[in-house]
Amino acid sequence: VQEEKIFAGKVLRVHVCTMDGAEWLEEVPEDTTVEKLKERCLKHCVPGSLEDPKTVTHHKLIHATSEKVLTDTKTVLEENIQDRDVLLLIKKRAPPPLPKMADVSAEEKRKQEQKAPDKDAILKATANLPSRNMDRTVAHHNMRDFQTELRKILVSLIEVAQKLLALNPDAVELFKKANAMLDEDEEDRVDEIALRQLTEMGFPESRAVKALRLNHMSVTQAMEWLIEHADDPTVDAPLPGQTPSEATAEAGASSAAGEATAGPSSEADGEEAKDELTEIFKKIRRKREFRPDPRAVIALMEMGFDEKEVVDALRVNNNQQNAACEWLLGDRKPSPEDLDKGIDTNSPLFQAILENPVVQLGLTNPKTLLAFEDMLENPLNSTQWMNDPETGPVMLQISRIFQTLNRT
């Protein structure tokens, strides 16, 4: 017996198929390379094809079961080919022909023609045009940003709405109902199901509430936060911008409103009703005051900024962390005090808004005042009020009046 036969590897019998429908059985030792096997297959199905050395590289073998392309340099054993496996012999797709130089030049020329002109080209093309006397500063000032002006409009409209509603003989009752509407607002509520899931895992309730608020009521993210901060000494500290006393005050305000609603006094004189109305206004504003994004506060405070200036920055920039950071590093304009300034009440814009019948009717609705207060401190909630059937028409009219006068 010859030595090579004694130490020869196991012989496998594999089925080989081609795209033309040819099929045969190929016996191959397991130490044979895929390239050698491919040569044998090509000799069988395409006689004389090996005269062109590129023929082997232009074909590939694919394992039918795993749909894997076999590597030429590996052996049958390394590719884990088993006895009776099926292999497909397929010709590779020819690569797309390279474009001719003339075609490349034409394509580049077309791209250049479609390219927008740069500043120098614009100046050259407009050099002979007559200049117009135009005050660019005034033009820029006239193109006012609606969001910026809306805040001023809301500040002034809130004052008007409060005066109008105070004249209503049922004003106290109306605002007690408005206060109750705020108590039903689910925005500040913690998802009870999510909270129960976390407390059943063994997390303290107060800590679970904090985690859910930081992670937008996501149980998974809240759980990860709780595990990550388990040994953090400040884990039970109140969120930035909120203290336990404030939370207690809110709870007290809610209970006070409930008591007031339960038993209205019909014997109260006009002065007492006015004082009660003032207190309700304060409760409403306290509930609707600006709430900074806790994550943004923490991130900005880690940069070395004081908590108060961070809250101011987020308030000025609608809770946008990046914009707040730029504000803190820049000239800090506008200032937080500028946010409380209203629009000129004698301006054509404000007069046009007040003369609109839809706005006039809306200002007698306590819900409109609530919407104005909310949008004033939480501009991102504007969409919610725009879609509300009671406050939406008012906001639409304000927007239309602003756009109309801004174009004139």
Side-chain angles (χ1 to χ4, degrees):
V1 180
Q2 295 181 357
E3 185 177 351
E4 59 269 18
K5 289 187 178 180
I6 297 176
F7 295 101
K10 178 182 177 181
V11 177
L12 302 177
R13 304 178 69 186
V14 294
H15 290 275
V16 182
C17 303
T18 67
M19 296 296 292
D20 298 331
E23 182 180 352
W24 69 94
L25 199 63
E26 193 76 47
E27 294 185 353
V28 55
E30 59 184 4
D31 57 354
T32 303
T33 64
V34 172
E35 186 175 17
K36 291 292 183 183
L37 174 59
K38 194 160 53 174
E39 290 179 0
R40 291 174 57 177
C41 294
L42 287 169
K43 285 181 181 178
H44 183 277
C45 66
V46 190
S49 62
L50 295 181
E51 295 178 359
D52 183 0
K54 293 183 180 180
T55 304
V56 177
T57 58
H58 288 173
H59 288 76
K60 58 184 176 182
L61 281 172
I62 300 177
H63 188 258
T65 304
S66 64
E67 299 181 0
K68 175 186 175 184
V69 178
L70 305 183
T71 306
D72 288 353
T73 56
K74 291 185 177 181
T75 64
V76 172
L77 178 63
E78 291 172 338
E79 288 288 11
N80 198 28
I81 304 300
Q82 304 296 323
D83 196 41
R84 301 290 180 180
D85 278 358
V86 178
L87 303 180
L88 302 176
L89 179 65
I90 298 176
K91 188 174 182 179
K92 296 179 181 178
R93 292 180 181 176
L98 295 174
K100 299 178 181 179
M101 290 304 297
D103 296 337
V104 173
S105 300
E107 180 68 16
E108 288 296 326
K109 184 178 180 181
R110 186 180 64 83
K111 288 182 179 180
Q112 288 296 329
E113 290 175 350
Q114 294 179 348
K115 186 178 179 182
D118 55 18
K119 183 178 179 180
D120 292 337
I122 293 174
L123 292 175
K124 183 179 179 181
T126 59
N128 297 325
L129 292 178
S131 59
R132 297 181 180 273
N133 296 325
M134 182 169 134
D135 190 342
R136 294 182 180 274
T137 305
V138 174
H140 178 72
H141 177 71
N142 288 337
M143 296 302 293
R144 296 165 295 181
D145 176 68
F146 177 60
Q147 290 301 325
T148 303
E149 287 297 310
L150 177 61
R151 183 176 185 85
K152 297 179 182 179
I153 295 170
L154 292 178
V155 170
S156 298
L157 286 178
I158 285 172
E159 296 178 3
V160 175
Q162 287 180 344
K163 292 176 181 177
L164 287 175
L165 289 165
L167 297 174
N168 191 317
D170 299 324
V172 174
E173 291 303 315
L174 287 173
F175 278 95
K176 284 177 181 177
K177 292 179 181 179
N179 200 28
M181 287 166 58
L182 289 180
D183 293 335
E184 296 173 1
D185 188 356
E186 298 186 357
E187 181 181 357
D188 294 331
R189 290 186 179 180
V190 176
D191 188 332
E192 294 182 2
I193 297 176
L195 180 60
R196 190 184 309 118
Q197 290 178 354
L198 292 175
T199 53
E200 288 177 353
M201 295 179 192
F203 297 111
E205 182 175 343
S206 60
R207 196 176 296 181
V209 169
K210 179 179 179 180
L212 286 169
R213 284 180 174 164
L214 280 172
N215 294 277
H216 306 289
M217 300 301 156
S218 169
V219 176
T220 304
Q221 295 179 10
M223 182 178 64
E224 292 175 355
W225 184 91
L226 288 165
I227 295 172
E228 182 181 349
H229 294 82
D231 300 324
D232 188 346
T234 63
V235 66
D236 293 317
L239 293 173
Q242 182 181 17
T243 62
S245 60
E246 289 177 352
T248 305
E250 285 191 9
S254 299
S255 61
E259 293 172 3
T261 306
S265 174
S266 58
E267 301 175 358
D269 57 26
E271 192 65 30
E272 290 177 351
K274 183 178 179 181
D275 292 341
E276 189 174 3
L277 195 59
T278 303
E279 287 302 313
I280 295 176
F281 280 152
K282 289 180 180 179
K283 291 172 185 177
I284 290 174
R285 178 154 291 187
R286 189 185 303 123
K287 291 178 183 180
R288 282 301 187 192
E289 66 185 2
F290 173 71
R291 297 175 180 84
D293 183 347
R295 285 181 177 274
V297 173
I298 293 171
L300 291 171
M301 287 180 63
E302 288 176 350
M303 298 179 186
F305 298 110
D306 179 73
E307 180 176 344
K308 182 182 181 305
E309 59 184 0
V310 166
V311 173
D312 286 343
L314 290 170
R315 181 170 177 242
V316 171
N317 294 281
N318 300 338
N319 258 336
Q320 301 298 317
Q321 181 178 326
N322 292 338
C325 183
E326 293 178 4
W327 184 88
L328 288 166
L329 296 172
D331 59 3
R332 302 196 176 187
K333 298 292 184 181
S335 66
E337 292 74 23
D338 294 336
L339 298 181
D340 297 324
K341 295 179 180 177
I343 192 173
D344 181 5
T345 54
N346 295 319
S347 66
L349 173 60
F350 192 68
Q351 292 299 318
I353 291 173
L354 289 182
E355 291 171 3
N356 186 279
V358 177
V359 176
Q360 290 176 358
L361 185 62
L363 291 176
T364 61
N365 184 349
K367 190 173 184 180
T368 304
L369 179 58
L370 295 182
F372 290 170
E373 291 277 8
D374 189 26
M375 288 187 287
L376 197 63
E377 297 301 344
N378 300 284
L380 296 180
N381 292 344
S382 298
T383 304
Q384 167 193 339
W385 295 112
M386 287 289 289
N387 294 328
D388 187 276
E390 294 182 59
T391 60
V394 178
M395 295 305 303
L396 182 61
Q397 291 300 320
I398 294 173
S399 175
R400 285 178 175 174
I401 294 169
F402 175 85
Q403 299 297 339
T404 301
L405 294 183
N406 197 38
R407 286 196 294 266
T408 59

